[in-house]
């Protein structure tokens, strides 16, 4: 029976293997997955990349005693530049081009009945998904810090989208109506460092920084895409800006309608999305990152103010400080802190631009805008009280979280997990201050009464803000 069994097994193998082999890489062994929404830089809906994959829970024996948060506003319909430069021109072009029968082009057939998800009037307004993102952060804080006092105030820059984000967080965090006030800090161009938008008060900063460099890679990554799309629809004349706008719509439409056909991987491949992401990373690198010499100078005042709150021994009414701003400030704070530095483990600051080449993608870069600043992204610095943490003395330790992922501080890793000791943290903050101090001078301030410090958290003159208002105005109106 053995020879017969062997013969039958050989016959079965001969029959089955050809069937298995073609699909083995995709069906049996491959775990490759790709989500475009996690590669859309500042247009990405909130997500937690777990980079690095360290646990956000405090190290063994440690509990949080105070925390300071800086959050970007939550999801909006579109910012004015993206809308005017990329999205509106594409939408207008689509509306005016009625000669193409999109139903005959499978990858683009949805364009036949597609309508734009936003209007001119809706630019920069918070979406319903945005309100949910901000509220989610409020719930996260309540779970993360069950033993800390809830804040009585939340600070925000004065734009509507940041104020609405702060209000949504307050609603989710407060236990009773009107328990948390929102303090609006005017987005002045003459406030020095004393605002949540200090880059606006820094003449040395320009919002156009990075445009020239990102345009180089934009042309490179879109060239084969435009060729492919124009082969499918010769009459439309797809351009690099059209492609960039279509890919932006994947993010913006998703936070407006919940999904978008522009995210389809049959339309844009993973490699296409990685090209878009790298273009955005180059833009942010030169605009608010290590490629701009003023970034750390603008980011330092928030780091200094937060460190003073965490290192101070005086009791106050806040265990948790939360502030809302725009996409520009958090990356500048990262630079001031030395986080997400491509050259941290080799190279030097003088060669940092070499780590973001314009002719190819640096896949091993630490600077990924999708991880740094999706909508509602947040940076936290915590003070932890550790007792009985094996191998370490009892006392205060400090650590940083970015979108819930613990981030080791450069040259400050003498505590459990990614934390550092009080002495180590004090030394670290002083070293960063020595590098980036002198906001007014280095920004070239040309107005009077500038300041190099951020005092909004401790200055009584800022005021107590205003209550968010009743949760259920409709009920209140009928006397319920």
């Amino acid at each position: 029976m053995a020879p017969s069994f062997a013969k039958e097994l050989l016959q079965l193998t001969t029959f089955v293997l050809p069937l298995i082999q073609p699909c083995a890489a995709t069906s049996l062994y491959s775990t490759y997955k790709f989500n475009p929404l996690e590669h859309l830089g500042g247009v990405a809906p909130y997500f937690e990349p777990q980079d690095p994959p360290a646990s956000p829970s405090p190290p063994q024996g440690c509990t949080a005693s105070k925390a300071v948060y800086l959050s970007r506003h939550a999801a909006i319909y579109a910012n004015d530049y993206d809308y005017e430069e990329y999205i509106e021109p594409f939408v207008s072009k689509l509306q005016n081009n009625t000669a193409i029968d999109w139903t005959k082009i499978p990858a683009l057939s949805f364009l036949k009945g597609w309508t734009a998800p936003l209007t001119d009037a809706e630019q920069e307004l918070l979406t319903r998904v945005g309100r949910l993102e901000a509220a989610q952060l409020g719930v996260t804080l309540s779970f993360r810090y069950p033993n800390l006092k809830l804040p009585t105030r939340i600070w925000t820059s004065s734009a509507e989208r940041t104020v609405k984000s702060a209000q949504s967080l307050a609603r989710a965090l407060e236990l009773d109506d009107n328990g948390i006030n929102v303090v609006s800090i005017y987005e002045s161009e003459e406030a020095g460092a004393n605002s949540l938008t200090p880059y606006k008060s820094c003449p040395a900063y320009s919002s156009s920084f990075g445009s020239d460099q990102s345009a180089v890679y934009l042309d490179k990554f879109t060239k084969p895409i435009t060729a492919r799309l124009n082969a499918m629809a010769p009459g439309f004349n797809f351009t690099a800006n059209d492609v960039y706008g279509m890919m932006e719509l994947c993010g913006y439409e998703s936070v407006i309608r919940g999904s978008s056909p522009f995210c389809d991987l049959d339309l844009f491949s993973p490699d296409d999305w990685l090209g878009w992401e790298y273009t955005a990373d180059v833009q942010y690198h030169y605009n608010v990152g290590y490629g701009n010499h003023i970034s750390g100078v603008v980011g330092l005042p928030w780091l200094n103010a937060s460190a003073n709150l965490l290192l101070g021994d005086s009791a106050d009414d806040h265990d948790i400080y939360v502030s809302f701003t725009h996409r520009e400030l958090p990356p500048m704070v990262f630079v001031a802190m030395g986080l997400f530095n491509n050259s941290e483990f080799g190279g030097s600051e003088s060669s940092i631009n070499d780590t973001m080449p314009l002719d190819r993608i640096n896949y091993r870069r630490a600077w990924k805008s999708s991880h740094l600043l999706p909508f509602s992204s947040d940076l936290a610095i915590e003070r932890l009280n550790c007792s009985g943490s094996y191998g370490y003395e009892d006392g205060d330790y400090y650590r940083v979280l970015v979108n819930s992922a613990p981030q080791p501080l450069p040259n400050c890793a003498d505590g459990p997990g990614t934390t550092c000791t009080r002495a180590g943290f004090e030394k670290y903050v002083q070293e960063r201050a020595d590098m980036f101090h002198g906001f007014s001078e280095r920004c070239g301030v040309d107005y009077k009464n500038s300041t190099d410090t951020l005092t909004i958290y401790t200055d009584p003159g800022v005021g107590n803000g205003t209550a968010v208002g009743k949760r259920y105005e409709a009920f209140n109106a009928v006397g319920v």
Side-chain angles (χ1 to χ4, degrees), residues 408-478:
L409 293 174
N411 302 319
C412 190
D414 54 349
T418 58
T419 70
C420 61
T421 60
R422 180 185 180 93
F425 185 67
E426 289 176 325
K427 180 182 178 184
Y428 157 79
V429 172
Q430 185 59 56
E431 289 174 348
R432 306 310 294 184
D434 291 342
M435 292 174 63
F436 296 116
H437 69 281
F439 178 95
S440 300
E441 179 181 354
R442 294 167 78 171
C443 279
V445 167
D446 54 2
Y447 51 85
K448 297 180 180 179
N449 301 320
S450 182
T451 177
D452 292 353
T453 58
L454 177 64
T455 61
I456 61 173
Y457 304 116
T458 56
D459 181 3
V462 171
N464 291 320
T466 58
V468 175
K470 294 291 184 182
R471 293 173 186 262
Y472 307 110
E473 291 290 348
F475 292 172
N476 187 49
V478 296

Side-chain angles (χ1 to χ4, degrees), residues 70 193-195 198-199 288 293-308 328-338 379 381 427-440 442-443 451-455 457:
L70 181 66
N194 197 27
S195 82
Y199 50 90
V288 291
H293 72 280
I294 208 69
S295 295
V297 174
V298 177
L300 178 68
W302 186 87
L303 171 61
N304 261 340
S306 301
N308 289 336
E328 290 85 355
L329 184 56
M332 291 174 148
V333 175
F334 295 148
V335 174
M337 299 179 72
L379 158 65
I381 309 178
K427 180 182 178 184
Y428 157 79
V429 172
Q430 185 59 56
E431 289 174 348
R432 306 310 294 184
D434 291 342
M435 292 174 63
F436 296 116
H437 69 281
F439 178 95
S440 300
R442 294 167 78 171
C443 279
T451 177
D452 292 353
T453 58
L454 177 64
T455 61
Y457 304 116

Side-chain angles (χ1 to χ4, degrees), residues 48-67:
E48 296 180 349
Q50 296 181 344
D51 180 19
S55 172
S57 299
Q60 178 269 326
C62 301
T63 57
S65 59
K66 186 166 284 193

Side-chain angles (χ1 to χ4, degrees), residues 149-155 179-183 317-318 320 464:
K149 293 180 296 186
L150 294 181
T152 58
R153 288 175 292 171
I154 293 173
W155 290 261
I180 301 175
N181 285 3
V182 172
V183 181
D317 62 345
H318 278 77
I320 305 172
N464 291 320

